[in-house]
């Protein structure tokens, strides 16, 4: 006997990652209590973003403009291009403030199991951006997951760029800042030991 | 460098219970990938529910109509009235299908710490529904939390209805169906032992 409109809202909300039916019901009751302050603004923000935000045709970022704000920013170094799997990774790097070049969002990794080859990814556009006529990219930084698929993808890109004269680098492995050794997996510890540096 | 429209959507979503900034970002990326199938319908469902759904002025339930579907349903027993704290509890009881009378949603419990007295709850309307002229409620079932505040509230309502000739009952305490004894708290085990029944 939940009202149809609420039932539908719960059903749609429960399809978001991280929300199940129970938390969707809680969220809806919360929204109903904050109708003016949260529910209406959220509905409007969602409709507006769905309308205005698109994929950047250059790098695959999400933005209200195409090319996106990062691709259009003249202060960013056009010689550096950072390859990421997903927009979430681009956002994470932007939050860190550690990188001031351009990005390229692949939209996933190569995966033998899921049957994703280079054609299913934003890969052709990457090679074109890097090796095309009159391009000034000097270094491609592969910021891909340290998973089998991520590393396969990194290897594939390295191979494709071999001999082009473009430097290809990867993020360093090591102990996360603030991380306790005791909780780290063996692979990370081994990598951190191998890549040890003078103190 | 997240687009303003996305930033605002993430900020609003992260105010839902159970979603923090990280899960809100994940949810927004998921929405952007399912723009037609999920994002636009969700925005619309949210706007529609905000518009159409109101509190039932009789029982405090949320519905597109006032009085709500439960209050208007002639098949429900008007002699039984189940008092709950919140609409979520009403929904839980409705899902169980165990109750076919009317409801009364208090909107919380009495709380000395949070300074909530009877006037902050939907309490006057409850007494009016139960003891007013020409009412046919014969039993009030207190389906309140087994917390200090819930039980204080239950006690308050029992006191107010004492001498009115109306039967007041509470939900039984006991072992949850499917629950393992080993994981149960002492209070529940004690209550279940006291209320033991012939096998």
């Amino acid at each position: 006997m939940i009202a149809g409109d609420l039932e539908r809202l719960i059903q749609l909300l429960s399809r978001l990652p991280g929300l199940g039916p129970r938390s969707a019901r809680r969220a809806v009751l919360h929204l109903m209590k904050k109708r003016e302050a949260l529910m209406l603004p959220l509905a409007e923000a969602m409709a507006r973003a769905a309308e205005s935000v698109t994929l950047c045709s250059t790098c695959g970022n999400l933005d209200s403009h195409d090319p996106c704000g990062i691709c259009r920013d003249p202060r960013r170094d056009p010689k550096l291009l950072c390859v990421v799997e997903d927009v979430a990774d681009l956002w994470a790097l932007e939050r860190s403030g550690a990188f001031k070049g351009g990005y390229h969002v692949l939209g996933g990794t190569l995966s033998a199991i899921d049957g994703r080859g280079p054609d299913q990814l934003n890969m052709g556009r990457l090679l074109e951006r890097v090796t095309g006529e009159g391009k000034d990219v000097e270094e491609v930084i592969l910021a891909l997951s340290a998973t089998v698929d991520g590393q396969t993808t990194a290897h594939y890109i390295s191979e494709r760029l071999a001999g082009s004269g473009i430097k290809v680098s990867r993020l360093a492995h090591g102990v996360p800042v603030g991380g306790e050794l005791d909780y780290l997996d063996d692979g990370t510890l081994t990598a951190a030991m191998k890549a040890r540096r003078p103190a």
Side-chain angles (χ1 to χ4, degrees), chain A:
Chain A
M1 278 304 295
I2 299 184
D5 288 346
L6 287 180
E7 190 74 88
R8 173 153 173 80
L9 182 55
I10 292 168
Q11 189 248 320
L12 288 167
L13 267 180
S14 67
R15 285 165 56 191
L16 291 182
L19 284 179
R22 177 178 293 271
S23 40
R25 283 195 296 269
R26 264 183 72 210
V28 166
L29 287 173
H30 185 79
L31 285 170
M32 293 304 306
K33 279 174 194 158
K34 313 241 172 188
R35 206 179 296 222
E36 298 298 325
L38 184 55
M39 194 174 191
L40 288 170
L42 183 54
E44 204 187 306
M46 204 172 286
R48 179 160 352 115
E51 177 74 23
S52 77
V53 176
T54 48
L55 281 186
C56 171
S57 58
T58 304
C59 75
N61 186 17
L62 288 168
D63 199 38
S64 321
H65 303 276
D66 180 14
C68 74
I70 294 177
C71 286
R72 284 182 298 127
D73 186 345
R75 288 163 305 175
R76 302 193 73 115
D77 188 346
K79 295 196 287 296
L80 296 176
L81 190 68
C82 180
V83 178
V84 293
E85 287 169 29
D86 209 342
V87 175
D89 303 326
L90 185 159
W91 288 352
L93 282 163
E94 282 298 286
R95 281 198 301 280
S96 79
F99 182 67
K100 293 293 174 202
Y103 288 97
H104 193 84
V105 181
L106 288 178
T109 54
L110 298 174
S111 169
I113 289 174
D114 299 341
R116 264 198 313 277
D119 295 345
Q120 275 83 55
L121 301 178
N122 193 9
M123 190 70 86
R125 186 87 181 86
L126 169 64
L127 299 173
E128 189 188 312
R129 284 182 78 185
V130 174
T131 59
E133 279 296 309
K135 306 294 170 165
D136 39 10
V137 173
E138 294 177 1
E139 179 176 354
V140 168
I141 301 160
L142 302 173
L144 301 172
S145 300
T147 57
V148 171
D149 284 346
Q151 295 310 297
T152 305
T153 310
H155 189 74
Y156 175 87
I157 296 172
S158 302
E159 289 283 299
R160 291 296 303 264
L161 295 179
S164 65
I166 288 159
K167 188 173 159 191
V168 180
S169 57
R170 303 187 185 196
L171 294 188
H173 290 304
V175 181
V177 175
E180 294 185 45
L181 288 199
D182 199 18
Y183 291 95
L184 273 181
D185 62 294
D186 295 349
T188 304
L189 274 180
T190 307
M193 184 60 78
K194 271 192 194 156
R196 66 189 178 276
R197 308 194 310 170

